C-alpha cells in the first residue's frame, strides 16, 4: 500500500513545486520503503509518492512510474488482484513490461483502453495518471471506496492526495472550515463524501473517476451498486444454489487477495465475517494462516476467547494480545494525527491496536469488513423496518406521546428487566450497550418517515440537537438522496444501500485504512470484492434476514467450515468501554477541551448545552458517550490542525 500527492497548476507551479517534497513526507507512514518525485514544469504538474512494497520489491516498482515513451506517468495506491490476467491480455496487444508490478499494468491498461480500463480492474485502488499528450489528469477511486482519494480544486489549481494532511502541507492551501460539513460530522460521527471539513476540498466518491484538462474538472460515476434484488438476473434459483455460488465467489475473492511478496495474515475477531474469511484462507492455503486478535479485560467488550476458539478449530497460527486500559488510552492523543479530518468512531482505537499487533509479524492481512452492509448484519436494519411497518399504523400523536413517556424511564432500570422488555419492543435491542440503543429507539419512535427513523437510529446528535448545539439547521446529504433513489427496493435493501454509500466508505473503511496505514500495514477486504457485492445484491432478503437474525446465508455457509456453536451468539461489535472512560481516565481530558471558557472563546457551540450533556453523563443519568466523544475529537483535531 502507498500514498500519493500530486498537483496541476499553471499559475502557482513554483510554490507548489517547493512544497511537494514536504507533502510527500507527510505520507511516509503509508509508504516507509521508498519515495519519488516527478515534475513537468511546462505543464505545471508535480507528482509525489511514498511506497509500501508488496509486489515486486525491487526498484522497478518505484513511483511515480512513467511509460517508456515518457508521455504517461502514474501515482497509485492499492492492489489490482487480477493484474496478471490483464497483463497477459495487454502483452497480446503488443505491450511490454519492465516490472512485475500491478502499477505498470494499471498504467498500460490506461494507455490501451483509456478510462474504460476501470472496467477491467478487480481490487482496491486510487490513482492519478498524467497524460502529457492529452494534457490531462485522469483520476479514479475503486468501486466501494476502500482506498481514499482527496482533492482540492479552486477553479484553477488541482491538488490530489491519499490523505488530507498532504494537501494541508501546501502552504497556499486555505484552511477554511466548511461549517455544513462540521454539522454533518456531529450528526454522523464522520463527514460523508463528497464533502470534507474544508471548503473547496472533496473526497472523490467511490466508483467515480475524474478528468482535469487544466480548466474543467469532470467527475462522474463509472460503477453503481446493482439495483437487485427486484428483477435481478443474479437472483439465485434456490438456497443450495445460492450457497454454492457464494462459496465459489468468496473463495475466489479470498484466493485473489493472497498474492503478496511479503508476509501475510488475517485479522480475526471471532465474528461471522472474519471467521468466514479465515476459514476460506485456510481452505486454499497449504500451511497454517497467521491470525491476530486483541482482547479487553472488560465484560461485554472482549471477543478474544471466541477468536481463539475459531483459530483453534481451523488450525491457524494465532497471536492474541490483551490490551490494558493505559495502552488504549495512549492511542487517544494520536487520533487527530492519524485521522486528519474530524472522525469520531471510537472503535478506531482497537482497530489501530490490532493493526499494530499484526504489523509486528506481517505486512498484509485480510479482514472481514463489509459483511454487515451486504447481508443485513446490523440490527438497526430490521429494527427500523419493523418500527416503520408497525408504528406508522398508529396515529402520530399517540406514537409521540408513548415515545416521550418512554424516554423518561431510566435505561439502566429497563436493562435489568430486559427479558420482559424484549417481548414488547423490536429486536433492535438484542445487542450490547442497551442504554444507548434504548435512547435511539425512543427517539426513533417519534419520527414520521422511514428516513427519519433510520436517521434517529444511527445519528449522534439529531437534527434538533444540531440546531441547539450550533444555532443552524442541518442540511441534506447523500443519505437522504440514496433513500429517495431506492424507493422501489425492499426496505432492508434500501437501508443497506444507504450504508454501502455512506457509513461503509466514510466510516468503516476510513477507520481501517488510516489505522492500518499509520503503522505501514495493508488490509485487504475480500467480502467487498465487487463481484461478491453484485451477486449479494441480487439475493432476496429472505437469504439475508430470517428468523429474527441477519446474515442468514453467511451463517449457513460458515457452518460448512466451523461448528455453529462458535458463531451463533449475539453480535458484540468492535468497541471500547468509552462511557466509563469518559467518567474516569478521560475525564480531565474531556473537561479541559470542553471547558466553558474554551468554548466561549471558540464561539461555535452553545456551551450551556454542552455543560448539561457533560453533567448528565458524569452523574450517569444518560449515556452521552458518542456525543461527548464527537466534541472531544473535534476539539483535539482543531488543536492539531487549526491552532497547533
Amino acid at each position: 500500500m502507498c500514498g500519493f500527492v500530486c498537483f496541476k497548476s499553471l499559475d502557482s507551479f513554483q510554490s507548489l513545486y517547493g512544497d511537494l517534497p514536504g507533502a510527500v513526507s507527510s505520507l511516509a507512514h503509508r509508504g516507509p520503503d521508498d519515495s519519488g518525485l516527478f515534475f513537468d514544469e511546462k505543464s505545471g504538474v508535480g507528482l509525489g509518492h511514498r511506497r509500501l512494497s508488496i509486489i515486486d520489491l525491487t526498484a522497478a516498482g518505484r513511483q511515480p512510474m512513467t511509460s517508456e515513451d515518457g508521455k504517461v506517468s502514474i501515482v497509485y495506491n492499492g492492489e489490482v488482484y487480477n493484474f496478471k490476467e490483464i497483463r497477459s491480455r495487454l502483452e497480446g496487444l503488443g505491450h511490454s513490461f519492465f516490472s512485475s508490478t500491478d502499477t505498470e499494468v494499471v498504467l498500460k491498461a490506461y494507455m490501451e483502453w483509456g478510462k474504460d480500463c476501470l472496467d477491467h480492474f478487480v481490487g482496491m485502488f486510487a490513482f492519478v495518471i498524467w497524460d502529457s499528450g492529452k494534457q490531462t489528469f485522469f483520476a479514479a477511486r475503486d468501486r466501494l471506496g476502500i482506498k481514499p482519494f482527496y482533492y482540492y480544486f479552486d477553479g484553477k489549481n488541482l491538488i490530489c492526495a491519499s490523505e488530507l494532511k498532504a494537501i494541508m502541507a501546501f502552504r497556499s492551501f486555505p484552511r477554511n472550515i466548511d461549517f455544513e460539513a462540521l454539522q454533518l460530522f456531529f450528526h454522523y460521527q464522520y463527514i460523508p463524501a463528497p464533502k470534507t471539513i474544508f471548503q473547496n476540498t472533496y473526497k472523490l466518491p467511490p466508483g467515480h473517476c475524474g478528468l482535469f484538462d487544466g480548466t474543467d474538472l469532470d467527475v462522474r460515476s463509472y460503477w453503481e451498486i446493482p439495483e437487485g434484488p427486484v428483477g435481478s438476473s443474479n437472483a439465485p434459483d434456490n438456497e443450495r444454489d445460492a450457497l454454492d455460488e457464494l462459496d465459489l465467489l468468496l473463495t475466489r475473492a479470498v484466493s485473489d487477495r493472497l498474492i503478496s511478496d511479503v508476509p501475510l495474515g488475517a485479522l480475526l475477531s471471532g465474528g461471522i465475517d472474519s471467521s468466514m474469511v479465515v476459514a476460506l484462507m485456510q481452505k486454499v492455503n497449504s500451511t497454517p494462516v497467521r491470525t491476530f486478535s486483541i482482547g479487553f479485560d472488560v465484560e461485554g467488550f472482549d471477543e478474544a476467547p471466541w477468536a481463539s476458539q475459531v483459530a483453534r478449530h481451523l488450525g491457524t497460527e494465532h497471536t492474541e494480545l490483551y490490551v490494558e486500559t493505559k495502552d488504549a488510552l495512549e492511542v487517544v492523543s494520536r487520533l487527530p494525527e492519524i485521522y486528519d479530518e474530524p472522525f469520531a468512531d471510537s472503535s478506531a482505537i482497537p482497530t489501530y491496536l490490532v493493526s499494530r499487533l499484526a504489523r509486528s509479524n506481517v505486512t498484509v492481512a485480510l479482514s472481514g469488513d463489509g459483511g454487515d452492509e451486504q447481508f443485513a448484519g446490523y440490527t438497526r436494519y430490521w429494527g427500523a423496518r419493523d418500527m416503520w411497518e408497525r408504528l406508522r399504523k398508529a396515529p402520530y400523536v399517540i406514537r409521540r406521546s408513548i415515545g416521550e413517556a418512554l424516554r423518561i424511564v431510566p435505561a439502566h432500570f429497563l436493562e435489568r428487566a430486559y427479558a420482559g422488555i424484549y417481548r414488547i419492543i423490536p429486536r433492535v435491542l438484542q445487542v450490547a450497550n442497551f442504554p444507548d440503543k434504548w435512547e435511539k429507539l425512543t427517539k426513533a419512535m417519534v419520527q414520521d418517515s422511514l428516513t427519519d427513523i433510520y436517521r434517529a437510529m444511527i445519528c449522534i446528535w439529531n437534527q434538533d440537537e444540531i440546531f441547539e448545539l450550533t444555532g443552524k439547521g442541518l442540511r441534506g446529504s447523500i443519505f437522504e438522496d440514496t433513500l429517495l433513489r431506492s424507493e422501489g427496493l425492499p426496505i432492508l435493501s434500501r437501508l443497506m444501500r444507504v450504508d454501502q454509500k455512506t457509513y461503509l466508505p466514510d466510516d468503516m473503511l476510513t477507520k481501517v485504512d488510516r489505522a492500518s496505514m499509520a503503522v505501514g500495514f495493508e488490509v485487504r477486504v475480500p467480502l467487498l470484492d465487487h463481484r461478491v457485492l453484485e451477486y449479494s445484491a441480487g439475493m432476496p432478503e429472505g437469504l439475508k434476514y430470517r428468523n429474527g437474525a441477519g446474515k442468514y446465508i453467511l451463517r449457513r455457509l460458515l457452518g460448512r467450515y466451523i461448528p455453529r456453536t462458535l458463531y451463533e451468539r449475539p453480535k458484540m461489535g468492535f468497541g471500547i468501554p468509552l462511557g466509563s472512560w469518559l467518567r474516569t481516565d478521560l475525564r480531565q481530558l474531556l473537561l479541559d477541551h470542553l471547558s466553558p471558557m474554551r468554548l466561549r472563546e471558540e464561539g461555535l457551540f452553545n456551551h450551556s448545552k454542552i455543560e448539561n450533556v457533560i453533567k448528565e453523563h458524569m452523574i450517569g443519568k444518560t449515556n452521552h458517550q458518542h456525543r461527548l466523544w464527537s466534541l472531544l475529537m473535534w476539539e483535539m483535531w482543531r488543536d492539531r490542525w487549526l491552532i497547533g
Side-chain angles (χ1 to χ4, degrees):
M1 203 53 56
C2 307
F4 65 79
V5 55
C6 55
F7 68 82
K8 178 168 174 53
S9 173
L10 290 176
D11 59 356
S12 302
F13 176 81
Q14 288 302 325
S15 64
L16 297 177
Y17 168 89
D19 288 341
L20 186 61
V24 173
S25 295
S26 74
L27 299 176
H29 54 285
R30 296 190 70 93
D33 298 327
D34 198 5
S35 65
L37 296 169
F38 168 91
F39 293 102
D40 181 345
E41 183 173 1
K42 182 179 179 181
S43 301
V45 168
L47 309 176
H49 190 265
R50 293 289 315 198
R51 185 184 183 202
L52 175 63
S53 303
I54 302 294
I55 298 172
D56 189 344
L57 310 185
T58 71
R62 176 172 293 170
Q63 297 184 48
M65 183 179 288
T66 301
S67 61
E68 292 91 335
D69 62 8
K71 293 181 178 179
V72 185
S73 301
I74 186 174
V75 282
Y76 164 74
N77 168 32
E79 304 286 352
V80 170
Y81 303 114
N82 62 334
F83 77 96
K84 291 184 178 180
E85 300 168 23
I86 301 172
R87 174 174 172 149
S88 295
R89 203 176 313 153
L90 290 168
E91 286 174 333
L93 294 170
H95 291 272
S96 59
F97 291 81
F98 60 85
S99 76
S100 57
T101 67
D102 58 334
T103 305
E104 189 179 4
V105 171
V106 173
L107 176 65
K108 292 186 175 175
Y110 166 80
M111 294 170 66
E112 178 66 31
W113 297 304
K115 66 179 180 62
D116 292 336
C117 67
L118 298 170
D119 298 333
H120 297 264
F121 301 152
V122 175
M124 55 181 185
F125 52 83
F127 62 80
V128 174
I129 293 176
W130 164 237
D131 189 328
S132 62
K134 297 179 180 178
Q135 288 288 294
T136 58
F137 261 5
F138 176 64
R141 189 180 183 194
D142 64 70
R143 296 169 181 86
L144 277 302
I146 302 168
K147 291 292 99 187
F149 193 115
Y150 290 86
Y151 67 96
Y152 166 76
F153 182 57
D154 62 4
K156 293 183 179 179
N157 305 296
L158 177 67
I159 304 174
C160 307
S162 296
E163 295 184 13
L164 198 53
K165 61 172 62 70
I167 296 178
M168 287 190 278
F170 291 92
R171 287 169 292 179
S172 60
F173 173 70
R175 302 189 188 190
N176 299 323
I177 296 298
D178 182 337
F179 289 101
E180 288 184 10
L182 180 59
Q183 290 179 309
L184 289 171
F185 163 69
F186 285 120
H187 193 56
Y188 295 115
Q189 80 182 359
Y190 60 87
I191 298 173
K195 281 185 174 291
T196 73
I197 191 61
F198 294 118
Q199 297 175 19
N200 298 323
T201 311
Y202 310 93
K203 303 178 185 79
L204 185 65
H208 279 64
C209 60
L211 190 67
F212 181 56
D213 62 5
T215 303
D216 297 318
L217 177 61
D218 180 21
V219 175
R220 61 181 59 189
S221 170
Y222 69 87
W223 183 84
E224 281 287 342
I225 299 169
E227 283 296 322
V230 176
S232 173
S233 59
N234 290 334
D237 293 330
N238 57 64
E239 187 174 311
R240 175 166 289 281
D241 287 347
L243 277 167
D244 291 342
E245 182 66 17
L246 186 60
D247 198 347
L248 181 66
L249 284 169
L250 286 176
T251 299
R252 181 173 65 173
V254 167
S255 182
D256 285 349
R257 284 156 180 78
L258 297 181
I259 184 170
S260 174
D261 293 335
V262 295
L264 181 147
L267 307 181
L268 178 61
S269 69
I272 292 170
D273 302 335
S274 64
S275 298
M276 185 80 257
V277 169
V278 172
L280 294 175
M281 289 178 71
Q282 199 61 73
K283 171 184 174 181
V284 300
N285 257 30
S286 58
T287 58
V289 173
R290 303 194 68 176
T291 54
F292 304 88
S293 66
I294 61 171
F296 288 93
D297 286 319
V298 181
E299 185 179 358
F301 295 91
D302 185 19
E303 287 191 302
W306 294 101
S308 180
Q309 291 183 53
V310 172
R312 188 161 50 249
H313 177 82
L314 293 173
T316 73
E317 183 181 334
H318 191 56
T319 300
E320 178 182 281
L321 173 68
Y322 265 82
V323 178
E324 297 182 7
T325 299
K326 65 178 182 63
D327 298 320
L329 294 174
E330 287 173 357
V331 179
V332 175
S333 62
R334 294 203 58 197
L335 293 177
E337 181 71 30
I338 295 171
Y339 297 89
D340 46 17
E341 182 173 52
F343 186 77
D345 186 339
S346 60
S347 63
I349 295 174
T351 303
Y352 172 83
L353 291 170
V354 74
S355 297
R356 189 173 66 183
L357 168 66
R359 183 62 175 93
S360 63
N361 295 271
V362 298
T363 309
V364 179
L366 275 61
S367 81
D369 295 296
D372 289 305
E373 295 83 4
Q374 286 186 74
F375 299 99
Y378 296 128
T379 56
R380 62 180 183 248
Y381 293 146
W382 59 88
R385 183 193 65 179
D386 291 352
M387 190 174 298
W388 172 238
E389 291 180 342
R390 296 172 187 176
L391 294 184
R392 63 178 173 174
K393 297 175 183 178
Y396 176 70
V397 65
I398 295 177
R399 284 188 282 120
R400 185 173 186 87
S401 298
I402 294 174
E404 294 293 346
L406 289 175
R407 291 183 65 181
I408 299 174
V409 182
H412 60 80
F413 171 80
L414 294 171
E415 189 171 16
R416 290 194 293 268
Y418 180 81
I421 297 166
Y422 167 74
R423 300 189 190 100
I424 62 172
I425 59 177
R427 292 186 175 90
V428 68
L429 298 179
Q430 296 182 64
V431 290
N433 197 7
F434 181 95
D436 185 56
K437 299 299 180 184
W438 175 257
E439 182 186 5
K440 289 188 174 182
L441 173 73
T442 56
K443 288 183 177 180
M445 286 184 69
V446 303
Q447 306 305 319
D448 203 27
S449 70
L450 176 65
T451 300
D452 289 338
I453 287 173
Y454 192 60
R455 185 201 292 275
M457 286 186 166
I458 66 172
C459 72
I460 306 304
W461 297 81
N462 67 31
Q463 291 169 290
D464 292 338
E465 291 166 337
I466 291 287
F467 183 81
E468 191 176 355
L469 180 68
T470 67
K472 296 180 180 179
L474 183 71
R475 298 188 64 178
S477 69
I478 190 174
F479 177 95
E480 294 84 359
D481 189 49
T482 302
L483 268 176
L484 287 172
R485 289 174 181 267
S486 61
E487 282 187 328
L489 299 178
I491 289 177
L492 292 186
S493 297
R494 294 180 68 191
L495 299 180
M496 284 187 282
R497 177 65 53 86
V498 169
D499 278 359
Q500 289 163 4
K501 289 204 165 190
T502 57
Y503 178 72
L504 178 63
D506 295 326
D507 186 308
M508 294 293 290
L509 295 175
T510 295
K511 174 184 66 180
V512 173
D513 177 81
R514 301 306 187 281
S516 59
M517 293 312 301
V519 294
F521 178 58
E522 177 178 305
V523 175
R524 300 174 178 176
V525 282
L527 294 182
L528 291 178
D529 186 302
H530 76 275
R531 299 164 299 185
V532 174
L533 194 139
E534 287 174 347
Y535 183 70
S536 69
M539 287 183 178
E541 288 191 349
L543 289 180
K544 301 174 184 179
Y545 173 77
R546 188 181 297 187
N547 301 326
K551 297 185 183 176
Y552 172 78
I553 193 74
L554 273 188
R555 293 172 189 270
R556 287 291 312 279
L557 183 56
L558 186 56
R560 293 182 173 183
Y561 298 97
I562 67 175
R564 291 181 59 185
T565 54
L566 295 184
Y567 62 86
E568 290 292 359
R569 53 192 171 85
K571 183 178 179 64
M572 184 178 295
F574 198 38
I576 56 174
L578 181 61
S580 61
W581 285 358
L582 289 173
R583 296 187 185 98
T584 54
D585 301 87
L586 292 174
R587 178 188 177 97
Q588 196 56 53
L589 181 70
L590 180 74
L591 295 179
D592 288 345
H593 280 82
L594 300 182
S595 70
M597 180 180 296
R598 177 188 173 105
L599 294 174
R600 279 195 294 268
E601 290 177 356
E602 186 178 0
L604 291 178
F605 309 120
N606 179 344
H607 63 85
S608 298
K609 169 70 174 178
I610 295 175
E611 288 179 63
N612 188 55
V613 170
I614 293 173
K615 180 180 178 180
E616 289 184 351
H617 185 81
M618 293 305 175
I619 64 176
K621 179 180 178 181
T622 306
N623 185 3
H624 289 301
Q625 59 180 11
H626 299 304
R627 294 185 188 87
L628 293 176
W629 186 250
S630 67
L631 286 164
L632 179 59
M633 287 299 97
W634 159 255
E635 292 296 333
M636 293 181 68
W637 179 88
R638 179 172 172 264
D639 280 354
R640 170 62 184 88
W641 296 106
L642 295 186
I643 299 175

